[in-house]
Structures are given as C-alpha cells and as structure tokens.
Amino acid sequence: MHDDFSEAMERAEADLTGEKPYNAKEGYVYSELAKAAFKKIKLFRSKGFSYTQICRAFEKNGLLPKKSNPYSLRAAFHRERRRLAREEEIDELLSEKTDSESNSTPFKTGKTAQTSKATTVAGHEDQKTANAAAKRERIRDMASLKVNIGDGQITKFSDGNFEY
C-alpha cells in the first residue's frame, strides 16, 4: 500500500508541474474589464452587438483570457451598472442642491388663513428637519449591508451600528 501511495503522489506531482498554478486575480478579470471599459461596452451594446461578440473581440485583442465566458462579462457589466447607479444616487442625496429642498411644499393645516401663516413658518422648519432626517435615513439604508446569520438576518450600517 505504501508503494501505491508514493506512486500516486509522484503522478499527482507530475500532473501539477505541467499545469499553471491558480491565480486568484484571474477571477476578477471580468469585473476589472467591466469597470475599465464600461462606457465602451455600453456603446457596443447600444449599437446592437451581443455579449458573445464583445467577449470574442476582447479575447482576440488580449483583454480577456482564451475561452472566456460571455455570461460572466454580462454579469460583471450589470454589476458595474448597478454600482454606478448606487453611487450616483448617493451622490445626489448627499448634494445640498436636491430638488426636495429647493421645491419644498408649504405646511398645510386645517385652521384659518391667519393662523396658518404663523404655523407655516414653524411647520416649514419642522419639515426641513424631517426632510433632512429622512434623507440621512435613506443614505444609511442605502449604505447598509444585509448579512445572513444562523438565526436570521442582520443589517450592518456604515456607521458601525446594526439591527436584527
């Protein structure tokens, strides 16, 4: 049995010496390409080229390894598109010139016009505060991460807090 084991180990070693070691970075080639060439891929898709054609052209020009998978390129492109949309939405929420602040509606009450004017000013400040709090809450929710644990799911927030 010992001889069979040593022979099997020698055959395994011979097989591995003929192969190229696995490079973990190669798994990210689609994501990196989608990030670097997002606008070009979007342009090609708008012109009607399929992911297979785009993948073949990138492969031919050395941007992707041989026998690359067009579905992986497509998935990486869609992930990048979602990432850019999230970044754009967060940037829009963080900017001070949002439409909700510049075009705020007046506070309405069911009282008479004279009393309504007095409460509108105070109500407007309350509404601004409420809008700012709602905006912060939306940003907090957007930047959160849901994690499955054994008993259920927790939400981790970027400020270090979490909730069950």
Side-chain angles (χ1 to χ4, degrees):
M1 179 168 155
H2 191 272
D3 291 331
D4 292 336
F5 179 75
S6 60
E7 288 176 14
M9 285 301 292
E10 287 176 17
R11 286 192 307 268
E13 184 179 355
D15 288 344
L16 288 176
T17 54
E19 287 185 27
K20 181 179 150 190
Y22 175 71
N23 185 357
K25 189 173 180 179
E26 289 178 2
Y28 298 107
V29 70
Y30 296 105
S31 297
E32 290 172 358
L33 181 64
K35 191 176 218 174
F38 180 80
K39 290 181 180 178
K40 289 289 186 181
I41 295 171
K42 188 175 180 180
L43 176 70
F44 295 148
R45 290 293 297 152
S46 70
K47 289 183 176 182
F49 290 103
S50 70
Y51 287 105
T52 305
Q53 291 172 308
I54 296 169
C55 192
R56 213 174 324 123
F58 286 165
E59 185 179 311
K60 181 179 177 183
N61 291 292
L63 296 170
L64 286 174
K66 298 292 181 197
K67 298 180 183 177
S68 54
N69 188 350
Y71 296 108
S72 297
L73 178 65
R74 177 185 56 121
F77 176 76
H78 287 290
R79 279 193 310 270
E80 182 66 16
R81 187 176 64 190
R82 286 190 306 268
R83 185 187 69 79
L84 289 173
R86 276 193 314 269
E87 279 184 5
E88 190 175 290
E89 190 171 338
I90 288 173
D91 287 344
E92 183 179 305
L93 287 172
L94 290 175
S95 72
E96 293 297 320
K97 301 172 186 168
T98 59
D99 292 336
S100 64
E101 288 180 0
S102 62
N103 297 331
S104 61
T105 58
F107 183 77
K108 295 182 180 181
T109 63
K111 299 182 180 182
T112 63
Q114 190 175 21
T115 309
S116 177
K117 284 182 185 178
T119 57
T120 302
V121 174
H124 186 65
E125 292 300 319
D126 291 340
Q127 187 177 11
K128 268 185 152 178
T129 307
N131 283 346
K135 184 174 156 181
R136 281 192 302 276
E137 188 66 28
R138 276 188 56 197
I139 292 171
R140 183 175 182 237
D141 288 342
M142 282 180 121
S144 68
L145 175 68
K146 297 200 183 295
V147 178
N148 288 325
I149 58 174
D151 295 337
Q153 194 174 46
I154 63 170
T155 304
K156 295 167 73 174
F157 297 104
S158 60
D159 59 2
N161 294 329
F162 64 93
E163 66 182 35
Y164 294 96

